[in-house]
Amino acid sequence: ILNVEQSPQSLHVQEGDSTNFTCSFPSSNFYALHWYRWETAKSPEALFVMTLNGDEKKKGRISATLNTKEGYSYLYIKGSQPEDSATYLCALRKTGNQFYFGTGTSLTVIP
Amino acid sequence: DGGITQSPKYLFRKEGQNVTLSCEQNLNHDAMYWYRQDPGQGLRLIYYSQIVNDFQKGDIAEGYSVSREKKESFPLTVTSAQKNPTAFYLCASSPKPLNTEAFFGQGTRLTVV
């Protein structure tokens, strides 16, 4: 079992605030780090897949960075909107094709 | 439309009965996965399959069985040996390259009474 930790567990922000979450993982035998957004009553959907140390990816107001040497990734949301309310999951993918998921960060954006 | 279909969405069973959860994908993905989610916990891997007629145990395989007779289908059977079967079950698939994302079904909530 591989331990992937996410913090905080939950977060409430006002509309327009910017926020960020952390995903921590063992840095050895790393292959790829995934971020998914999981809205209530829907399927998780991929946001980013990152493989290289120093990777930075952006999709609209959401961006992510990766540090494989120290074993962490940050997800940033700029100017949060109510539609950003969801659970954000990170997952470590190792050789062998398995995904190891964190417990997620539940974000609520208050209008 | 391409995607993963899990059925049913909600399932109720009596204690001691086996139950099979369906997962079908038309994405032509090689790998398929079953995860379980309990309150306050992350997704935990039950079984995964990288190719037809082959599958491997995940971290919590006890009390579960799977088959992969067709590329599109990866059913999960929750047996009476599973001590705490009430949970949310999520199926996923992914293409072969390791730098590609996983795609998920909408899940099945199983309640054993």
Side-chain angles (χ1 to χ4, degrees):
Chain A
I1 296 179
L2 191 147
N3 204 23
V4 178
E5 295 184 349
Q6 290 188 246
S7 63
Q9 191 172 4
S10 66
L11 196 56
H12 290 72
V13 301
Q14 293 289 334
E15 183 175 352
D17 287 351
S18 294
T19 188
N20 64 85
F21 328 131
T22 304
C23 174
S24 303
F25 52 87
S27 55
S28 60
N29 297 324
F30 171 86
Y31 188 84
L33 191 286
H34 295 228
W35 281 100
Y36 293 87
R37 176 165 61 199
W38 194 359
E39 295 179 67
T40 303
K42 294 187 178 180
S43 309
E45 289 185 342
L47 288 171
F48 305 112
V49 179
M50 296 183 287
T51 57
L52 299 176
N53 185 45
D55 253 355
E56 291 188 28
K57 299 231 173 173
K58 188 174 181 181
K59 188 183 286 189
R61 295 178 290 99
I62 304 177
S63 60
T65 61
L66 177 65
N67 184 322
T68 59
K69 293 183 179 178
E70 296 184 32
Y72 65 84
S73 175
Y74 293 140
L75 187 80
Y76 301 91
I77 302 179
K78 186 177 178 182
S80 303
Q81 299 296 309
E83 58 265 30
D84 296 328
S85 296
T87 296
Y88 291 83
L89 297 173
C90 75
L92 186 68
R93 193 170 193 182
K94 296 183 66 172
T95 54
N97 226 3
Q98 293 190 51
F99 292 85
Y100 296 88
F101 284 87
T103 53
T105 293
S106 174
L107 173 67
T108 303
V109 181
I110 303 162
Chain B
D1 283 4
I4 300 181
T5 302
Q6 286 186 245
S7 61
K9 199 169 181 180
Y10 299 95
L11 191 54
F12 294 86
R13 277 294 182 270
K14 289 185 178 178
E15 195 173 336
Q17 290 182 335
N18 291 357
V19 59
T20 298
L21 280 58
S22 169
C23 178
E24 304 277 330
Q25 54 102 355
N26 60 3
L27 300 166
N28 200 34
H29 288 171
D30 290 294
M32 295 187 75
Y33 310 83
W34 274 106
Y35 291 93
R36 168 181 171 142
Q37 188 186 43
D38 294 283
Q41 296 200 41
L43 296 173
R44 292 185 291 165
L45 182 65
I46 305 172
Y47 267 99
Y48 70 105
S49 167
Q50 298 191 63
I51 196 169
V52 173
N53 292 323
D54 185 53
F55 47 84
Q56 287 79 43
K57 292 182 179 180
D59 300 323
I60 55 165
E62 188 176 344
Y64 299 98
S65 66
V66 292
S67 63
R68 187 88 187 274
E69 296 175 4
K70 299 185 296 181
K71 192 174 187 179
E72 312 83 63
S73 180
F74 191 41
L76 174 75
T77 297
V78 185
T79 75
S80 56
Q82 168 49 234
K83 293 178 182 176
N84 296 297
T86 295
F88 182 77
Y89 293 87
L90 199 60
C91 179
S93 70
S94 69
K96 241 181 194 172
L98 290 178
N99 62 345
T100 52
E101 67 210 55
F103 292 77
F104 293 85
Q106 288 202 315
T108 293
R109 185 165 298 280
L110 173 65
T111 302
V112 176
V113 295

